[in-house]
């Protein structure tokens, strides 16, 4: 027997309609190009998103078409979030920090028809435009008087485009499983892969962000979004804020400690999110200006730290300096991203702070909807005893089933689990602790560096026989690459020469911080590089670039 409740689909357009109707005056504050500040609200975001959807339709964007953004956190980007998904097209947020060739690859692979870009990326756009196979139009996110003269096909200005839209546009009624947005992840080897979210997965994920034991986002919050909107939909918060009617503060491109502090103070922010590197910069600013700052001006209550392990020092400083609770969250592009969240249990109520920090240093417990499990080398599920470590696998309604372009279910094992490439233990209370990574990547300041790409590049040098890259701890960036090289016999190669050679072929921030020369590298029985052994060998090694 079927239930007799209404079956209204869970759509992203419903989120913005709700925010406009019930929290219309709640502000959305943005820092735009050049530092200009603009104050909007949920009602205006909704009106402009409808106009934009209509205007995009006028440009020929149809349901299922991909529209790309290379953009910072601003209200225009937010309007694109709602307009593109709401009309049934797919918003493809592209990470502008990738190397230009990777960006071109991603745009071509997704078959984006339109690219909307912030003015900071005008040069990048003209550089890669000749390599793009499907892009027909470029939209500059600016006013008409700011539109630069660029050689780009169909170039137009965002505000002009918006003017052409019909303010009476009505959102279409879509199937809730319709694709809504996509992000590429370079967290694995080979080419970046696309993760395709749906309206349903996005709305369910938003409920989680608003749940008390999720991120607890609510109508009394003013959110400083210090995680980029091209990182897994800014952890879902642009959608969740509309769901609960929180004030949203979008800081543009500048996430420096002084800017974050001033914005937080001026906008009365109660809640924020970001990767550890952002918070290290924030505390560096506070510590340097301690004497002149009145920390009681801040209304901050909770901060979500994720993307990499939250250092204990961040958790402690937030509590001790600002009385702020750090919620550590773990997730991935493939998990929308919220999967485990670090809230407390009743038994932690009376804990001394030091012991409470121990709990917060773990990556949290699974939230409703997401199941997590650890598996041993033979594929057996391991006990949650806080001792045994295994590969972390996840499943749930906002975990991907396949990468874009692959058959549904192809990213899962027979039991429906998705393998994360993270190694973890789970304690008897269900808290997950990430202990290692089996995937061959380095995460620096919240962004991926492929060690395999660097190794391939290094061995391309005529004097290099073999090369390995491992991530070493770094006090500012969490991890930075160390390149370990075996020169060809009889050859002399120095670090500067090698790095010069590599510089032309990868983004600057991918370049190894240091090069070490050795006579040989450890291998497995099948001849593969034994990274575990190398990591052991270099445990405790301090990179010269680490100021700590
Ligand atoms: P991404 O797909 O870029 O969001 O990266 C996901 C990966 O980042 C995970 O598989 C982990 O390796 C890492 N990660 C994310 N959050 C955390 C966390 N709280 N602690 C440790 N590692 C994390």
């Amino acid at each position: 027997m079927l239930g007799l409740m209404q079956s209204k689909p869970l759509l992203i357009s419903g989120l913005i309609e709700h925010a406009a109707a019930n929290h219309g005056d709640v502000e959305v504050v943005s820092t735009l190009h050049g530092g200009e500040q603009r104050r909007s609200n949920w009602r205006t975001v909704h009106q402009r998103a409808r106009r934009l959807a209509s205007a995009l339709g006028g440009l020929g964007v149809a349901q299922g078409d991909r529209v790309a953004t290379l953009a910072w956190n601003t209200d225009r980007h937010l309007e694109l979030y709602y307009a593109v998904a709401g009309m049934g097209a797919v918003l493809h947020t592209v990470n502008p920090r990738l190397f230009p060739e990777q960006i071109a690859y991603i745009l071509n692979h997704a078959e984006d028809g339109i690219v909307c870009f912030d003015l900071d990326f005008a040069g990048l756009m003209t550089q890669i435009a000749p390599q793009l196979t499907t892009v027909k139009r470029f939209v500059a996110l600016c006013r008409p008087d700011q539109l630069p003269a660029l050689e780009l096909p169909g170039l137009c200005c965002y505000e002009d485009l918006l003017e052409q839209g019909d303010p009476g546009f009505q959102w279409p009624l879509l199937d809730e499983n319709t694709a809504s947005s996509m992000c590429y992840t370079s967290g694995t080897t080979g080419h970046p892969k696309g993760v395709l979210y749906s309206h349903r997965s996005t709305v369910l994920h938003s409920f989680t962000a608003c749940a008390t034991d999720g991120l607890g986002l609510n109508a009394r919050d003013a959110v400083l979004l210090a995680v980029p909107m091209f990182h897994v939909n800014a952890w879902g918060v642009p959608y969740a804020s509309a769901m609960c009617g929180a004030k949203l503060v979008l800081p543009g491109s500048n996430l420096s400690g002084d800017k974050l502090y001033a914005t937080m103070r001026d906008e009365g922010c109660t809640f924020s999110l970001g990767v550890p590197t952002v918070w290290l910069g924030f505390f560096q600013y506070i510590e340097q200006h301690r004497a002149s700052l009145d920390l009681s001006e801040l209304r901050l209550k909770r901060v979500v730290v994720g993307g990499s392990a939250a250092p204990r020092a961040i958790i402690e400083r937030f509590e001790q300096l600002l009385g702020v609770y750090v919620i550590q969250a773990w997730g991935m592009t493939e998990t929308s991203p919220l999967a485990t969240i670090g809230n407390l249990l009743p038994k932690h109520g009376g804990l001394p702070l030091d012991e409470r920090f121990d709990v917060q240093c773990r990556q949290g417990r699974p939230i409703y909807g997401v199941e997590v499990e650890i598996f041993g080398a033979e594929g057996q599920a391991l006990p949650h005893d806080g001792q045994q470590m295994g590969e972390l696998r996840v499943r749930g309604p906002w975990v991907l089933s396949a990468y874009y372009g692959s058959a549904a279910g192809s990213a899962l094992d027979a039991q429906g689990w998705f393998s994360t490439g993270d190694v973890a233990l789970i304690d008897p209370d269900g808290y997950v602790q990430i202990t290692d990574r089996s995937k061959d990547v380095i995460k620096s300041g919240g962004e991926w560096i492929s060690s395999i790409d660097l190794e391939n590049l290094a061995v391309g040098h005529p004097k290099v026989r073999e090369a390995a890259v491992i991530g070493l701890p770094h006090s500012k960036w969490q991890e930075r690459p160390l390149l370990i090289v075996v020169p060809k016999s009889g050859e002399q190669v120095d670090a500067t020469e090698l790095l010069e050679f590599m510089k032309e072929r990868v983004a600057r921030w991918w370049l190894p911080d240091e090069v070490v020369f050795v006579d040989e590298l450890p291998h497995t029985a099948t001849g593969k590089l034994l990274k575990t052994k190398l990591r052991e060998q270099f445990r405790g090694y301090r990179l010269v670039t680490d100021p700590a």
Side-chain angles (χ1 to χ4, degrees):
M1 188 190 287
L2 291 179
L4 289 172
M5 306 309 282
Q6 300 178 16
S7 62
K8 187 179 172 184
L10 303 174
L11 297 180
I12 288 172
S13 54
L15 295 175
I16 189 70
E17 275 177 332
H18 170 81
N22 298 287
H23 306 277
D25 293 328
V26 174
E27 283 187 305
V28 173
V29 183
S30 309
T31 303
L32 304 179
H33 185 73
E36 178 196 345
Q37 206 189 51
R38 190 163 59 196
R39 308 192 84 81
S40 180
N41 60 33
W42 285 114
R43 184 180 307 107
T44 306
V45 170
H46 184 220
Q47 282 163 355
R48 283 168 55 94
R50 283 164 67 202
R51 280 188 94 116
L52 178 60
S54 150
L56 288 170
L59 292 183
V61 176
Q63 291 191 359
D65 285 354
R66 271 78 68 205
V67 174
T69 58
L70 278 111
W72 302 119
N73 292 9
T74 68
D75 58 340
R76 291 189 180 117
H77 204 175
L78 186 69
E79 289 157 7
L80 278 157
Y81 261 56
Y82 284 104
V84 175
M87 71 188 286
V90 181
L91 182 84
H92 175 198
T93 54
V94 181
N95 184 343
R97 296 195 181 116
L98 297 177
F99 198 53
E101 268 70 43
Q102 282 175 312
I103 296 180
Y105 170 86
I106 286 172
L107 292 169
N108 290 337
H109 190 265
E111 298 179 85
D112 295 307
I114 296 186
V115 179
C116 306
F117 65 96
D118 263 325
L119 292 182
D120 282 351
F121 308 119
L124 175 64
M125 293 296 96
T126 46
Q127 183 188 347
I128 64 170
Q131 299 167 47
L132 303 180
T133 50
T134 56
V135 174
K136 297 196 179 53
R137 272 186 176 276
F138 288 84
V139 179
L141 298 173
C142 63
R143 295 189 308 266
D145 61 297
Q146 295 172 310
L147 185 66
L150 299 170
E151 290 286 317
L152 289 173
L155 177 66
C156 70
C157 146
Y158 180 85
E159 294 296 333
D160 279 342
L161 177 64
L162 206 87
E163 279 298 304
Q164 292 160 24
D166 172 8
F169 176 86
Q170 296 298 316
W171 300 114
L173 189 63
L174 305 167
D175 181 319
E176 65 180 13
N177 291 303
T178 304
S180 57
S181 67
M182 74 194 303
C183 287
Y184 275 70
T185 173
S186 16
T188 45
T189 52
H191 281 303
K193 294 189 210 134
V195 178
L196 195 57
Y197 309 97
S198 70
H199 286 258
R200 174 185 154 83
S201 71
T202 304
V203 173
L204 291 175
H205 184 265
S206 305
F207 277 117
T208 293
C210 297
T212 308
D213 278 323
L215 304 184
L217 205 61
N218 62 74
R220 286 145 312 278
D221 275 323
V223 181
L224 176 60
L225 200 65
V227 58
M229 289 169 77
F230 51 78
H231 270 177
V232 211
N233 301 314
W235 302 353
V237 169
Y239 302 114
S241 300
M243 176 178 270
C244 68
K247 171 176 169 176
L248 198 50
V249 181
L250 303 168
S253 62
N254 186 350
L255 299 181
S256 62
D258 57 333
K259 175 74 182 357
L260 286 184
Y261 185 92
T263 308
M264 224 174 241
R265 178 195 58 211
D266 298 346
E267 299 300 333
C269 296
T270 58
F271 184 94
S272 190
L273 321 84
V275 297
T277 300
V278 163
W279 300 120
L280 290 167
F282 176 73
F283 282 112
Q284 194 178 356
Y285 168 75
I286 292 186
E287 271 149 29
Q288 279 167 358
H289 298 83
R290 192 67 199 278
S292 59
L293 293 176
D294 174 7
L295 298 183
S296 70
E297 298 172 315
L298 296 186
R299 291 185 52 216
L300 199 63
K301 296 281 179 297
R302 283 135 41 240
V303 163
V304 182
V305 181
S308 297
R312 191 184 180 96
I314 290 186
I315 297 172
E316 287 174 356
R317 278 187 231 173
F318 264 121
E319 179 65 47
Q320 287 160 353
L321 283 177
L322 301 170
V324 165
Y325 181 81
V326 167
I327 306 170
Q328 172 154 201
W330 171 89
M332 311 172 69
T333 308
E334 288 89 336
T335 66
S336 290
L338 297 174
T340 66
I341 302 185
N343 287 302
L344 300 176
L345 294 172
K347 67 193 279 188
H348 302 129
L351 276 188
L353 265 187
D354 215 40
E355 288 173 41
R356 202 194 81 189
F357 295 148
D358 291 342
V359 180
Q360 286 174 273
C361 281
R362 302 206 154 178
Q363 276 73 15
R365 306 173 78 240
I367 42 182
Y368 165 76
V370 177
E371 293 171 84
V372 301
E373 202 53 85
I374 43 173
F375 292 87
E378 312 299 321
Q380 77 284 21
L382 297 175
H384 299 183
D385 58 5
Q387 304 287 328
Q388 301 197 53
M389 289 180 268
E391 194 202 16
L392 185 66
R393 297 185 194 164
V394 288
R395 57 185 182 193
W398 52 88
V399 176
L400 99 167
S401 88
Y403 289 100
Y404 174 63
S406 316
S410 57
L412 310 179
D413 68 13
Q415 281 71 45
W417 292 107
F418 171 72
S419 294
T420 65
D422 285 329
V423 179
L425 54 80
I426 302 180
D427 74 16
D429 290 326
Y431 286 83
V432 168
Q433 184 178 346
I434 305 289
T435 56
D436 200 358
R437 221 181 264 145
S438 59
K439 47 195 175 194
D440 218 350
V441 282
I442 295 159
K443 206 164 197 194
S444 168
E447 304 275 2
W448 290 115
I449 296 174
S450 160
S451 48
I452 292 188
D453 283 0
L454 291 178
E455 287 158 7
N456 289 340
L457 194 54
V459 293
H461 189 282
K463 295 179 186 166
V464 171
R465 190 175 87 207
E466 203 179 7
V469 173
I470 56 170
L472 288 186
H474 189 280
S475 61
K476 179 169 182 202
W477 302 107
Q478 276 72 64
E479 281 183 333
R480 288 297 302 159
L482 172 75
L483 172 61
I484 307 155
V485 169
V486 184
K488 280 188 182 158
S489 62
E491 294 286 6
Q492 286 279 337
V493 51
D494 69 39
T496 325
E497 177 187 351
L498 196 51
L499 292 176
E500 275 299 315
F501 170 81
M502 296 173 77
K503 203 165 83 187
E504 303 304 316
R505 297 161 178 85
V506 283
R508 269 293 161 105
W509 58 272
W510 272 43
L511 277 185
D513 281 28
E514 222 180 302
V515 188
V516 172
F517 296 93
V518 294
D519 292 334
E520 59 179 334
L521 291 169
H523 293 99
T524 63
T526 53
K528 283 201 217 150
L529 274 174
L530 197 54
K531 291 281 180 81
T532 43
K533 183 82 184 292
L534 264 182
R535 283 195 212 116
E536 227 167 81
Q537 220 170 302
F538 284 88
R539 181 159 300 141
Y541 187 93
R542 257 270 302 285
L543 287 166
V544 283
T545 53
D546 192 345

